Amino acid sequence: MAITSLTLSCTWLQSSMPPPRLRACCYSSTQLSVHKTLTHVHSSGVIACLRANSAELALKAALSGGISVLEIVMSTPGVFEVLQQLVQEHPTTTTLGVGTVLNVEDAKNATNAGAKFLMSPAMVKDIMVDAQCGEVLYIPGVMTPTEILSACDSGAKIVKVYPVSALGGSRYISALKRPFHHISMVASQGITIDSVREYITQEASAVVLSDAIFDKEAISQNNFNEICRLAHFAALQGNEALEWKKRSTLN
């Protein structure tokens, strides 16, 4: 049966049609939010990921340092409450998301709390299905070429290559981008601030920085000035790498 209109309803998700048609319902106003989030991830180059107990103050320090895309992992105490407060305080300037989301219930709670994106260490099919007609960007974790292609065919607009350091670092990203140059990739795990430019020049759309910004010693000592300094350095590295990439593309 030929598709004659882009105003198809999400009831298609209940049918037995093949994966490409599952994405037909995405051409709606709800996807404008997803596109905006994806654009912000691409333009920032850095996603700061917090794994700590002192969530609120640490995140505010990162924001003060210039970070504009923040991920709070599910293990953070009061993750949804912290997210709600940050969304209220930074409604337009910051893109906030939740990481290590492993089931639909947590995905819905994160969305209700104001998350603009969700991340998982692997692709959770039920979350992917829900994301096709939602307003939240889903970034599934992938490791192999097969997983990348599967995620893309399922509707992923961007994937997280994890654990990238264990797989070869920026060289692995470079190798993956040769056959999958059309797929946006976020590099995650074990990345230092000094290597941000290396990953982005090897065609990563962005990198996830965790301990590199939210230094464990600094957090344990409530040294939020240090977190602010690291965040500023990371944001600067991301911006410079993206500018270099842009210039090299034009030349």
Side-chain angles (χ1 to χ4, degrees):
M1 180 183 295
I3 299 176
T4 58
S5 173
L6 294 180
T7 58
L8 301 174
S9 71
C10 291
T11 55
W12 273 29
L13 294 179
Q14 310 300 324
S15 72
S16 59
M17 292 185 175
R21 293 190 178 185
L22 292 178
R23 300 197 294 273
C25 66
C26 290
Y27 295 94
S28 65
S29 59
T30 62
Q31 290 300 294
L32 293 176
S33 176
V34 173
H35 177 72
K36 181 179 179 180
T37 300
L38 183 60
T39 300
H40 198 180
V41 170
H42 282 150
S43 63
S44 70
V46 171
I47 300 173
C49 172
L50 177 67
R51 300 176 184 274
N53 292 326
S54 304
E56 186 178 346
L57 292 176
L59 287 169
K60 289 181 178 180
L63 291 172
S64 298
I67 292 296
S68 60
V69 182
L70 286 165
E71 172 194 358
I72 313 172
V73 298
M74 281 295 304
S75 59
T76 303
V79 56
F80 301 130
E81 290 78 8
V82 171
L83 177 61
Q84 283 181 321
Q85 183 170 346
L86 288 172
V87 168
Q88 291 173 359
E89 294 175 355
H90 307 275
T92 59
T93 58
T94 306
T95 297
L96 298 162
V98 176
T100 322
V101 183
L102 301 177
N103 57 67
V104 170
E105 181 180 0
D106 286 340
K108 290 181 178 178
N109 288 333
T111 301
N112 291 336
K116 293 300 183 183
F117 67 90
L118 306 171
M119 273 199 197
S120 302
M123 184 177 75
V124 182
K125 292 183 180 179
D126 289 342
I127 297 178
M128 179 65 77
V129 170
D130 285 352
Q132 297 312 298
C133 295
E135 298 182 355
V136 177
L137 176 68
Y138 180 46
I139 310 177
V142 297
M143 187 170 68
T144 66
T146 299
E147 292 175 355
I148 292 172
L149 192 58
S150 177
C152 184
D153 286 344
S154 296
K157 297 171 177 60
I158 186 171
V159 297
K160 178 178 77 170
V161 180
Y162 174 88
V164 71
S165 293
L167 298 169
S170 61
R171 289 180 299 173
Y172 189 61
I173 294 292
S174 178
L176 290 174
K177 289 294 287 187
R178 291 189 187 107
F180 300 123
H181 57 87
H182 58 294
I183 300 176
S184 297
M185 300 181 190
V186 173
S188 178
Q189 184 267 327
I191 300 174
T192 64
I193 296 177
D194 289 334
S195 62
V196 168
R197 178 167 178 166
E198 180 182 344
Y199 275 92
I200 291 179
T201 55
Q202 293 298 334
E203 298 303 320
S205 296
V207 299
V208 176
L209 298 179
S210 182
D211 292 347
I213 292 177
F214 299 107
D215 180 76
K216 291 180 180 179
E217 183 177 351
I219 288 180
S220 67
Q221 297 175 355
N222 292 327
N223 187 354
F224 299 115
N225 286 332
E226 175 64 6
I227 294 173
C228 181
R229 186 190 69 80
L230 292 171
H232 178 73
F233 183 36
L236 183 63
Q237 290 295 302
N239 290 334
E240 289 181 350
L242 289 171
E243 282 298 318
W244 183 91
K245 185 178 178 179
K246 182 179 179 180
R247 289 196 302 270
S248 65
T249 302
L250 294 176
N251 293 335

